[in-house]
């Protein structure tokens, strides 16, 4: 009789512990601290719940983490900021549906005008081999792998007035101009 009572008390304690641990895992926020948790964060965002996620590259810049990825083969990125406890909390995510080559302006500082980078995410359908990026009064040339999933992160020159004006020219592997979408 005494053995049965101890058995039931131990079983109840174990079940209670399992319940508490599983409940606390669900209420604990997910951070972008590693690839697995980044995928969980992405799939927790509205519109990304059922997407197939392929992380291509993670880059840490001071207290900011930017991650280039494909969502159902569409180029995308997510940005995290390190909190006081050292965990990365997501701040912004963006996807470019139906494109094989997507560009994103990334601010790596709390000030909108400071420390900007340009991220390009491509999938295997990309046929753009190089780009001339006009930024304000400067031109930056950048090459890209053709027909490959890739992430390229470019430093942008500092802006005197905190704004950027862009002009793009795209070239194929043979050097032929294939697009000049204009300015942004």
């Amino acid at each position: 009789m005494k053995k049965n009572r101890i058995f039931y008390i131990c079983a109840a304690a174990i079940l209670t512990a399992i319940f508490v641990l599983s409940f606390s895992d669900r209420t604990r926020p997910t951070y972008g601290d590693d690839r697995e948790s980044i995928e969980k964060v992405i799939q927790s965002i509205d519109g990304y719940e059922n997407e197939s996620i392929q992380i291509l590259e993670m880059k840490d810049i001071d207290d900011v983490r930017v991650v280039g990825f494909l969502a159902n083969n569409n180029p995308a990125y997510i940005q995290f900021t390190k909190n006081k406890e050292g965990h990365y909390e997501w701040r912004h995510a963006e996807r470019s549906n139906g494109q094989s080559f997507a560009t994103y302006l990334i601010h790596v500082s709390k000030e909108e005008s400071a420390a900007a980078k340009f991220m390009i995410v491509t999938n295997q359908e990309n046929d753009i081999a190089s780009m001339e990026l006009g930024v304000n009064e400067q031109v930056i040339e950048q090459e890209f792998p053709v027909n490959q999933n890739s992430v390229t992160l470019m430093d942008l020159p500092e802006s005197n007035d905190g704004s950027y004006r862009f002009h793009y020219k795209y070239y194929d592997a043979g050097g032929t101009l294939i697009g000049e979408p204009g300015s942004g």
Side-chain angles (χ1 to χ4, degrees):
M1 186 82 124
K2 211 176 196 182
K3 285 183 182 182
N4 284 343
R5 188 174 189 188
I6 293 173
F7 173 75
Y8 289 122
I9 291 173
C10 288
I14 290 171
L15 289 174
T16 302
I18 289 171
F19 175 76
V20 168
L21 288 174
S22 68
F23 181 73
S24 67
D25 275 349
R26 279 188 244 145
T27 59
R28 189 177 313 145
T30 304
Y31 298 108
D33 294 342
D34 57 36
R35 283 183 178 268
E36 183 180 330
S37 63
I38 290 169
E39 284 184 27
K40 286 180 183 177
V41 168
I42 294 168
Q43 290 179 325
S44 73
I45 300 170
D46 287 342
Y48 291 86
E49 302 93 333
N50 299 313
E51 301 282 302
S52 168
I53 303 300
Q54 180 183 1
I55 294 177
L56 302 178
E57 187 172 329
M58 299 182 335
K59 180 75 174 169
D60 293 341
I61 307 154
D62 298 323
D63 287 344
V64 173
R65 173 171 284 171
V66 290
V67 179
F69 67 97
L70 299 177
N72 282 354
N73 204 41
N74 291 299
Y77 91 98
I78 187 168
Q79 185 168 339
F80 298 87
T81 304
K82 191 182 283 188
N83 66 19
K84 292 176 185 176
E85 291 80 35
H87 296 292
Y88 286 95
E89 298 176 340
W90 83 276
R91 294 289 177 233
H92 181 76
E94 194 171 329
R95 165 182 44 208
S96 299
N97 288 326
Q99 296 183 29
S100 61
F101 182 99
T103 60
Y104 305 102
L105 180 62
I106 310 290
H107 292 282
V108 292
S109 171
K110 292 183 189 213
E111 299 173 31
E112 282 293 308
S113 63
K117 299 205 180 275
F118 208 64
M119 178 183 268
I120 297 95
V121 181
T122 68
N123 66 22
Q124 69 278 1
E125 298 167 12
N126 171 49
D127 61 354
I128 297 172
S130 65
M131 170 177 74
E132 282 183 17
L133 174 63
V135 183
N136 298 345
E137 302 301 319
Q138 298 183 26
V139 175
I140 302 170
E141 295 180 8
Q142 180 69 48
E143 293 184 0
F144 305 99
V146 177
N147 301 115
Q148 293 181 30
N149 302 333
S150 71
V151 174
T152 303
L153 199 60
M154 301 167 57
D155 292 321
L156 295 180
E158 287 194 29
S159 171
N160 293 335
D161 62 359
S163 66
Y164 290 96
R165 290 172 303 286
F166 298 105
H167 184 81
Y168 315 83
K169 288 184 182 178
Y170 301 121
Y171 299 90
D172 67 12
T176 303
L177 181 67
I178 57 174
E180 190 169 0
S183 302

